[in-house]
Amino acid sequence: LTTIMAVEFDDGVVIGADSRTTTGAYIANRVTDKLTPIHDRIFCCRSGSAADTQAVADAVSYQLGFHSIELDEPPLVQTAANLFKQMCYRYREELMAGIIVAGWDKRRGGQVYTVPMGGMLVRQPVSVGGSGSSYIYGFIDSNYRSGMSKEECLRFTAEALALAMERDGSSGGVARLAAITEAGLERTVILGNQLPTFFSA
Amino acid sequence: MSSIGTGYDLSASTFSPDGRVFQVEYAMKAVENSSTAIGIRCKDGVVFGVEKLVLSKLYEEGSNKRIFNIDRHVGMAVAGLLADARSLSEVAREEASNFRSNYGHDIPLKHLADRVAMYVHAYTLYSAVRPFGCSFILGSYDDDDGPQLYMVDPSGISYMKEMTCRELVKEVAKIIYIVHDEVKDKTFELELSWVGEVTKGRHELVPKDIKEEAEKYAKESLEEEDDSDEDNM
């Protein structure tokens, strides 16, 4: 299915995802972009059904854009996360969508909210999702420290994704990263052969 | 100032030849004729004061409230037809509640004021209904946006002074006492509420002891002024 991840740091968030979309064993898209903008400083990481997550993300971007214009100010990350939750919970029987909402807003800085399948909502300093996430919980738990800098977070995310992509058959391709801060957005791609390497049996 | 709108003032869906909607203007008269409502914004909160004219000695203290709670962090003080004001407070409460349900956080005051104002405006468009005969002041306080005050339709008085909320409560009481016209209306009951840092962002009625202290201050100030007037004469 996927590996997706998001980390909070002082001035913002770092998000990351692999780039593999599969139909069965066939890789339908090996350069997918699973990091989708919902608003200027708010992104979501999509895992689960590509169709479902795209549809939900489109609906939420629309609602959030409208809400932001009404309020005449940039929307809160919490608002975006709540909109995702409302939709994912209401249609929980029909959907297969595990989404991580991450971004920056003026009120609370960088925030990561996870909306797993079923429609729960909880804020976490680090969150991982998708089929590949199971393989990296140990790595995350032992290597995460609070108060990391943006560069440290980017490295942490890249390493975690690399480990997951190595072990999970449904994750692979390139690693896409993005750092979101007040100043803006920085997207990077790490090609397959440039990913951090670890011991492999 | 009386305006004669003969023929053009029967419904809100009719303009007069000089471009006025008389029904809306008549509605504002209902507000002008009512007793005073004040909202004042200070640097750490907002205080509301209402002069409630007591129509009968049989009324219990605290009845016919004119200050309402709209969500935890927002208060509303009204002037005009009380029944109209009550139904609008329900509208405001639903808006605030729906917002929280959809978006997961407190409704920003500006947005709430806009939504209620839109509702009030809707009733000025059709002949089947009449406009609301009340105006109101909405106030709130939160850590991020600070104290805020919005009025829907001109009524009451709204201005900002540099004082803390505690000191302001006494001043609001004083203003209501000064503004109260003893000749026209006999007795009145003072209703006071506040929202600010002192209440941790929750809109509440001012506690009895502080209210009594404020009323005492207000009455004493009035006496002082009376005295000084006599001396000058």
Side-chain angles (χ1 to χ4, degrees):
Chain A
L1 282 166
T2 304
T3 313
I4 50 175
M5 181 168 162
V7 191
E8 286 179 10
F9 66 96
D10 260 332
D11 304 321
V13 293
V14 163
I15 57 177
D18 74 302
S19 70
R20 181 171 291 183
T21 322
T22 47
T23 40
Y26 175 64
I27 300 177
N29 187 351
R30 61 186 174 103
V31 285
T32 325
D33 184 6
K34 303 179 189 179
L35 305 175
T36 315
I38 303 296
H39 206 268
D40 296 344
R41 296 282 183 282
I42 307 178
F43 265 64
C44 75
C45 310
R46 301 180 292 110
S47 75
S49 152
D52 286 352
T53 53
Q54 280 178 11
V56 172
D58 283 348
V60 172
S61 322
Y62 165 76
Q63 290 176 330
L64 203 61
F66 192 87
H67 174 73
S68 171
I69 303 255
E70 271 191 314
L71 254 45
D72 198 18
E73 49 178 61
L76 299 176
V77 187
Q78 190 191 21
T79 308
N82 266 85
L83 289 172
F84 269 107
K85 177 206 75 185
Q86 298 274 56
M87 200 162 287
C88 292
Y89 180 71
R90 180 174 292 214
Y91 298 109
R92 54 182 289 164
E93 303 303 328
E94 288 97 329
L95 290 174
M96 193 166 82
I99 295 175
I100 301 181
V101 185
W104 180 93
D105 67 38
K106 190 174 68 166
R107 196 181 276 213
R108 301 218 189 108
Q111 298 147 70
V112 169
Y113 294 88
T114 183
V115 184
M117 274 182 241
M120 157 182 108
L121 170 64
V122 74
R123 183 181 172 186
Q124 294 179 312
V126 195
S127 191
V128 295
S131 56
S133 65
S134 334
Y135 305 104
I136 50 174
Y137 278 107
F139 176 79
I140 302 286
D141 289 344
S142 58
N143 285 80
Y144 173 74
R145 292 161 290 123
S146 59
M148 286 197 280
S149 70
K150 183 173 78 167
E151 287 66 30
E152 286 175 311
C153 284
L154 283 162
R155 214 180 120 83
F156 174 62
T157 308
E159 288 189 350
L161 286 174
L163 285 164
M165 284 155 74
E166 182 72 23
R167 286 290 183 179
D168 179 30
S170 310
S171 304
V174 305
R176 292 195 190 275
L177 297 167
I180 310 173
T181 58
E182 179 176 10
L185 191 43
E186 285 167 35
R187 297 199 66 153
T188 40
V189 184
I190 306 180
L191 298 181
N193 56 356
Q194 291 162 355
L195 283 166
T197 44
F198 300 89
F199 166 80
S200 47
Chain B
M1 177 191 104
S2 60
S3 25
I4 306 167
T6 337
Y8 300 109
D9 63 346
L10 294 175
S11 87
S13 66
T14 311
F15 276 109
S16 73
D18 53 344
R20 295 152 73 175
V21 181
F22 280 106
Q23 276 298 305
V24 174
E25 292 186 24
Y26 296 162
M28 295 203 213
K29 286 248 174 290
V31 173
E32 279 173 39
N33 293 338
S34 116
S35 60
T36 318
I38 306 181
I40 303 187
R41 183 175 79 145
C42 61
K43 64 178 194 286
D44 64 338
V46 169
V47 179
F48 285 117
V50 173
E51 174 202 12
K52 281 196 315 189
L53 298 177
V54 174
L55 294 173
S56 155
K57 291 200 179 112
L58 297 173
Y59 282 4
E60 275 191 16
E61 195 188 327
S63 62
N64 282 337
K65 286 215 174 326
R66 283 175 55 185
I67 300 183
F68 303 97
N69 240 334
I70 316 287
D71 212 349
R72 289 181 303 219
H73 64 301
V74 177
M76 174 197 229
V78 304
L81 297 177
L82 194 46
D84 286 9
R86 285 212 185 108
S87 99
L88 278 173
S89 77
E90 272 308 300
V91 168
R93 283 169 182 159
E94 273 177 50
E95 283 291 339
S97 171
N98 284 339
F99 185 96
R100 184 190 294 276
S101 177
N102 286 331
Y103 301 111
H105 64 90
D106 294 350
I107 187 170
L109 193 64
K110 175 167 193 313
H111 190 65
L112 177 61
D114 285 345
R115 298 287 298 190
V116 187
M118 270 198 276
Y119 190 91
V120 170
H121 172 249
Y123 280 70
T124 66
L125 297 170
Y126 310 104
S127 59
V129 294
R130 65 163 175 78
F132 284 94
C134 67
S135 301
F136 47 94
I137 311 170
L138 290 164
S140 87
Y141 175 87
D142 69 60
D143 291 325
D144 300 300
D145 302 319
Q148 297 194 337
L149 205 55
Y150 282 91
M151 270 200 291
V152 176
D153 238 310
S155 94
I157 314 163
S158 163
Y159 53 92
M160 186 163 108
K161 267 186 134 197
E162 281 307 305
M163 257 189 212
T164 63
C165 241
R166 286 220 55 165
E167 292 157 6
L168 194 56
V169 169
K170 293 195 287 192
E171 296 302 321
V172 170
K174 183 171 154 196
I175 294 173
I176 297 268
Y177 269 87
I178 292 174
V179 158
H180 176 67
D181 185 342
E182 288 211 357
V183 175
K184 196 172 75 145
D185 311 301
K186 289 289 172 185
T187 43
F188 78 99
E189 186 195 325
L190 177 62
E191 195 175 332
L192 279 177
S193 76
W194 56 1
V195 56
E197 234 184 290
V198 63
T199 64
K200 300 206 193 339
R202 295 177 98 101
H203 174 251
E204 300 167 348
L205 288 181
V206 171
K208 201 154 183 274
D209 52 341
I210 301 182
K211 182 172 158 199
E212 278 168 12
E213 191 196 321
E215 284 190 281
K216 193 160 133 297
Y217 168 83
K219 286 179 187 151
E220 279 166 15
S221 317
L222 278 182
E223 280 165 17
E224 275 176 19
E225 290 186 11
D226 284 343
D227 288 342
S228 68
D229 280 344
E230 284 181 24
D231 284 345
N232 284 341
M233 275 167 57

